[in-house]
Amino acid sequence: MSTVEAKYVWKIYDEDVIAVKDASFRCENEEFVAVLGPSGCGKSSILRMIAGLEDITKGEMFFDGKVVNNLSPRDRNVALAFESYALYPPLSVYENIAFPLHARGLDKNEIRSKVQDIVDALELSDVLKRKPSKLSGGQQQRVSLARALVRDPSVLLLDEPLSHMDQRVRAVIRARIRRIHDELSTTTIYVTHDQEEAVALADKIIVMNLGVIQQIGTADDLFNYPSTQFVAGFIGEPSMNFLGGRVESQNRLAVRNGDKSVSWAIAEDIPSSHINTGVVVGIRPDKLEASKTSTSSGIRAKVDVVEFLGDYRILTLSLGEKVIKTIVPTDFSVSIDDTLWLTGLPEAIHVFEEKSGEALIKAKK
Amino acid sequence: MAGLKLADITMKYGSLVALNNISFECHEGEFFTLFGPSGAGKTTTLELVAGIKKPTKGEIFIGERRVNDLTPDRRDVAMVFENYALYPHFTVYENVAFPLTSSRRKEKLTPSQKRERVDEITTLLGIHELLDRKPQQLSGGQKQRVSLARAMVRRPEAYLLDEPIAHLDAQLKVSARSTLKQFAHQRGTTILYVTHNYREALGLSDRILALRKGNIEQIGTPEEIYESPASDFVARLMGDPPINLVDVEIVSENGKVFFQADRDFRFPMRQGLLPKLEGISWEEDGKRVVRIGVRPKHVRVSLQKLSDASFQLPVYVAVREAEGNTITFELTNSFFLAKVDSSVHPEVGENVWVEIDQDNLYLFRKSVELTK
């Protein structure tokens, strides 16, 4: 078990391609941390620098307070699982899991008891004699996980574990991975581009974009208090809507509505220095109140698309050039070309500075 | 535009039956989706309509025309695959106009007609101002709309779309879905669409055909498929997390009927359900058994006893979702999930009270194997 800490870490390829810029974060002992971002955000470079597969250009990486920059992957005692770390097809499940222990020269009985412990925890006892090709996708992933965990690593690194899984089994595998972590308490770092996955599994999420850490926080922090417009737009599906606006007073916004604007109340005060400046107004699709009759605070929008998704409907509306999405219950009857008036719920409105994209309210520092 | 009709279609690859005597009709202007897991026969069906493959038996109609003996280029349908990369050295205009210049086209367009076609489709898809750019100057979402425009610039009798947005990131997928649906609506196009993604099937379609190993399991509107699934197979393809399926014994005690699976998973059956069990339940090891289906959102969880119909289970794990939490319980043959609000977050192993909303309980025959 270990803490992992990065201090001012940079990764620069070919002298001028900056993959990771000045990243600092800390994973506590036994914590489940996700590194989340779109492709090319630098998350895989972070993972590889923790594992020791990639040199650190500048800055320091610590395991339990000790610098590991110059330690080989083996001496760091980290374990990698999934995606690109395939199982050995000719070996049985038991042999696959025991493999790293043989490589270490442990004796047979010791190996047997360690493998037994881990397959019990991962519920693989029934398939020990099978070959990987005879396993379901979920079982293969558990074997991969068992093989990573059997050597009792200080840190477990998971690389996009569920991205290619059928969604029917994903919920169950998510539950299993979280349960395994809760039982074994290995410090775990999980790299993914899938925000749903990160939210479901991690205690703490590090959001990256273009090599820069955008925010570190719990799922609730990121969802309710995004510190930048990027984080706000990346977390949540469908994405947060962004509208043009201007600060009227500390608790009122003028939100652009075609050529005119409407006034929205907000629940938290904006610093007075921003009065009369242009801002980006953010509102999640499920936090818009839709009315079929004209309201003074409603932005007027035309329904272009209605999608039934089982538990709710997603409406896509046009607002001049802008497209906006809102979620309504399935019993809200609405058709294409209807006009709706939409008002943001005051306590759910986010406001971002136009240039920097930084949150002016609802930001957790 | 024209409708599509398949009559008694069988498709065999050697001894393997890919499609087993299926018939269906996709009306003119309809958005019709073939939905099912891989290996169901979805793509084969599309290929038969396109003329890439010939059916072993049966007839295919496009509008009034029987097309069995027509080559693909004479059927006048446009097929779009999942992977449609743009030509990097072409501008957006050249990429979109490309299908109109193909030498095999029967319809010859003048340059100004071509320009008109491209203008129309790119305006509709909101990429008209990008016509002079090269693909590398576009965002992911823009590229995807350019690909779609290129696919849609032709005006065939019907579009055949095979997982056209499957490779997009989650958020792009959401916007691509609505763009596609808007396009279909505005142009009144006939679309035969293939997907294994239930959100696409529900969100896009006028009607859905659920395919299962070459057989039709159900045809219906998205609402019908979601609210009244014909089988446990269809039910578990819809929803994330998916519906819970549990085989329960029907137990009578002192004039009361209980559903029971495992020792603790036990609750009194709601009145009025008894007649519905007839013909659905089956006999197993001398017991009367039925498969119940309940969506995770119709399971309540509390630290306090909820009602006489509630029962206690130990928590396997609790997982945070974007909205609320998913609590997982482990039963002998399956996991059982509850979707609850974020105030409910019990510990692993903690005993909590569980109540199933029996107004939203489905009863099924057994047609799929349950696995953990």
Side-chain angles (χ1 to χ4, degrees), chain B residues 131-204:
Chain B
L131 289 180
D132 297 328
R133 296 214 199 152
K134 293 275 175 67
Q136 69 267 24
Q137 295 166 295
L138 304 176
S139 73
Q142 290 167 334
K143 276 186 204 164
Q144 170 267 320
R145 278 182 282 169
V146 174
S147 316
L148 208 53
R150 191 176 61 182
M152 301 301 194
V153 75
R154 286 177 56 198
R155 292 203 188 141
E157 298 277 32
Y159 295 102
L160 312 176
L161 308 182
D162 193 356
E163 305 266 11
I165 59 176
H167 63 296
L168 295 179
D169 280 0
Q171 293 190 341
L172 278 181
K173 221 178 255 180
V174 175
S175 68
R177 227 169 45 208
S178 53
T179 305
L180 194 57
K181 187 158 189 182
Q182 190 173 7
F183 170 85
H185 175 75
Q186 292 184 352
R187 288 267 290 265
T189 52
T190 306
I191 295 183
L192 188 58
Y193 190 88
V194 160
T195 185
H196 71 282
N197 179 308
Y198 84 94
R199 289 189 174 103
E200 288 173 36
L202 289 180
L204 285 168

Side-chain angles (χ1 to χ4, degrees), chain A residues 142-196:
Chain A
R142 272 184 278 153
V143 176
S144 171
L145 196 55
R147 192 176 58 180
L149 285 166
V150 75
R151 36 191 200 110
D152 204 7
S154 313
V155 181
L156 175 64
L157 303 176
L158 304 181
D159 191 0
E160 301 273 1
L162 311 181
S163 49
H164 60 286
M165 301 291 317
D166 192 6
Q167 70 169 38
R168 195 164 58 73
V169 296
R170 224 159 42 186
V172 163
I173 293 177
R174 252 183 219 167
R176 276 192 191 276
I177 290 181
R178 182 66 219 193
R179 162 81 180 223
I180 289 160
H181 176 265
D182 289 353
E183 266 182 5
L184 304 176
S185 304
T186 309
T187 307
T188 303
I189 301 173
Y190 175 103
V191 168
T192 182
H193 68 275
D194 183 338
Q195 50 103 15
E196 229 176 271

Side-chain angles (χ1 to χ4, degrees), chain B residues 4-131:
Chain B
L4 307 169
K5 192 172 149 192
L6 277 73
D8 308 317
I9 289 288
T10 293
M11 182 66 187
K12 288 184 187 170
Y13 299 108
S15 62
L16 181 87
V17 181
L19 293 172
N20 184 18
N21 197 33
I22 65 165
S23 300
F24 69 87
E25 209 169 326
C26 162
H27 305 300
E28 185 179 338
E30 192 174 28
F31 201 123
F32 191 90
T33 297
L34 304 172
F35 174 66
S38 58
K42 310 185 292 289
T43 298
T44 298
T45 306
L46 225 54
E47 289 170 336
L48 292 177
V49 177
I52 298 167
K53 287 184 180 146
K54 284 207 171 292
T56 313
K57 184 177 93 44
E59 293 185 304
I60 301 166
F61 297 90
I62 298 175
E64 300 295 311
R65 295 183 296 150
R66 182 179 181 279
V67 297
N68 284 50
D69 303 319
L70 294 185
T71 53
D73 57 316
R74 297 183 57 207
R75 293 194 182 193
D76 198 18
V77 292
M79 183 147 174
V80 181
F81 302 92
E82 174 179 351
N83 195 356
Y84 39 69
L86 300 174
Y87 302 108
H89 51 289
F90 280 4
T91 62
V92 168
Y93 178 85
E94 289 163 338
N95 265 288
V96 175
F98 189 77
L100 300 177
T101 49
S102 163
S103 58
R104 280 166 54 217
R105 282 185 58 78
K106 60 172 201 267
E107 170 194 26
K108 292 282 178 241
L109 295 178
T110 64
S112 69
Q113 282 175 318
K114 244 187 249 175
R115 181 89 216 179
E116 251 169 56
R117 285 282 185 90
V118 175
D119 283 347
E120 188 200 340
I121 188 74
T122 53
T123 304
L124 181 68
L125 292 171
I127 48 170
H128 190 252
E129 70 281 15
L130 306 175
L131 289 180

